[in-house]
Amino acid sequence: MSMWAIFYRLREAREGIARNTWASIATVVLLTLTLLMFGGFLWLNANLAQVANLLERQVQVRVFPAEGTPAETLLTRVEVLPGIRGVELLEGESAYERLAPVFGRNTLMNALPADAFSDSLSVELLDPELANETVELIRDLDGVGDVIWGQGFAQVLYRISNSIQKGGIIFIIGFFIAALLMSLTAMQLAVLNREVEIQIQHWVGVGPWGIRSQFLIEAFLLGLFSSILAGASFLYLGEVIQKIIISLLPFMSSQLSSPKLVIGVVLITGPILGLLGGGLASQRAIGKGR
Amino acid sequence: MVGASGMGKTTLLKLLYKEEIPDNGQVLIGDMDTARIHGSKLRRSMGIIFQSFRLLEKKSAYENIAYGAEVLAMPPPEVRRRTKEILELVGLENKSHRLPSELSGGEQQRVAIGRALINEPKLIIADEPTGDLDPENTDRVLGIFDRFHKEHKATVLFATHAVDVVNRLGRRVIRLEDGKVISDATGGYWAGEKKESAS
């Protein structure tokens, strides 16, 4: 397509959008909402997966000996198990010492029995993803009283993430179909409004794709405009949401993924959605101008 | 090209600009077999005019004529030059900024003719272009075709059933009946449908 062809097509597209003002506004609003939902879903999902991953990687296994088993004895049994990077003995006394500056030594002595803090083992794993198996091995050892570790929370987050992913995909597909239908309707109106133009172009020798291109450009512009609006809104809303998450979960401050990638995806998706609507609607134009 | 309504004039014209595809046989324009060329490319060498003007209501006479060239991506300076020439040819240079609704029927038809001529076609196909016009505007339209033919060496194929128009032109007359050419004479005289059937 030559430079002048693009110039004329852009002018026609601008006039077309102005002619179908309300249909164009409705299309842009619906496309923008869809893209916002789509971006929000992507971002939420990426962050939930990241939190779950972070929690799992930071998993600390704490092993408490059974009554009558010295922690030192258990340490020698645990450290030889496969999947163990290292084992540290945590004396109950040290926990007492750590709490004393906070609550006061006297308060603690009065409030807690003498053996309130038993000795335990802090176990570091080689591969956090094999935590389940390793924990089971530890549990099977003689002299193990209790094993506490944080994967339960991580698994809950994974489940939430998966549910959002599945539900979100259905939700997004529904919105996409609605947005596509809206874009299709707007472009069909544009085709109907331009029957005379299409006929004239046909008579003077414009090819089917030449006729179609004006509708594709128009739809592309609507999609692009929607994606810019959605991207800008997402940039603003993303910051607000980020602040809320950090205020609730301060440890996430360095872990939240940047919304920039999501904004990039949104910017690409809008014009694609517009082009799909324009492409389907302009089949009609090609039929008229065969 | 003459013949009564329903004798196949419009169908023959549609075959020429590939709006219709023949079931069998060939459509040749000069040495060119139209089956071997894409319809849009073929139509770029033609100017097609109808009885209905099909003008863009929100564009001025100037813009309507220029539109025919713009959609073929002609550079704006060339569009301006040609549009000016065509406006002069069709005698609307003083009404170039008027909308179609502000023009008479004859003037609207001249705008439609201007739009068909702006790409300097080698073949002009006109299907009953004077059908809705009074004698004065019919004369003007015929004058435009005659001048364009002389200046650009373009062929004008004109379908009509108006006896006076055919006889005034005194050109080659092809007579169609039931889709068949029944006579083809240069400088011919056509007696008209009623007299013919009587004879």
Side-chain angles (χ1 to χ4, degrees), chain B residues 107-167:
Chain B
E107 288 167 338
Q108 288 185 43
Q109 183 60 302
R110 280 186 272 151
V111 173
I113 292 170
R115 185 182 61 206
L117 301 185
I118 193 165
N119 293 315
E120 296 179 352
K122 291 289 158 210
L123 172 63
I124 297 157
I125 293 176
D127 192 1
E128 305 273 8
T130 57
D132 286 342
L133 304 183
D134 56 33
E136 190 190 331
N137 275 305
T138 299
D139 276 348
R140 273 179 173 258
V141 166
L142 296 179
I144 293 165
F145 286 143
D146 193 47
R147 192 175 146 194
F148 193 81
H149 158 69
K150 283 175 182 154
E151 286 177 5
H152 294 270
K153 308 283 177 226
T155 303
V156 181
L157 179 58
F158 194 110
T160 186
H161 58 258
V163 179
D164 56 329
V165 170
V166 176
N167 295 333

Side-chain angles (χ1 to χ4, degrees), chain A residues 66-87:
Chain A
E67 213 173 320
T69 306
E72 294 82 356
T73 312
L74 194 56
L75 188 146
T76 55
R77 291 177 195 161
V78 173
E79 66 186 358
V80 295
L81 288 174
I84 304 292
R85 187 191 297 279
V87 185

Side-chain angles (χ1 to χ4, degrees), chain A residues 99-127:
Chain A
L99 291 174
V102 181
F103 296 101
R105 186 170 292 274
N106 288 336
T107 314
L108 285 174
M109 283 175 71
N110 292 331
L112 300 168
D115 59 347
F117 299 105
S118 57
D119 293 346
S120 63
L121 303 175
S122 173
V123 180
E124 195 187 343
L125 305 178
L126 274 175
D127 184 356

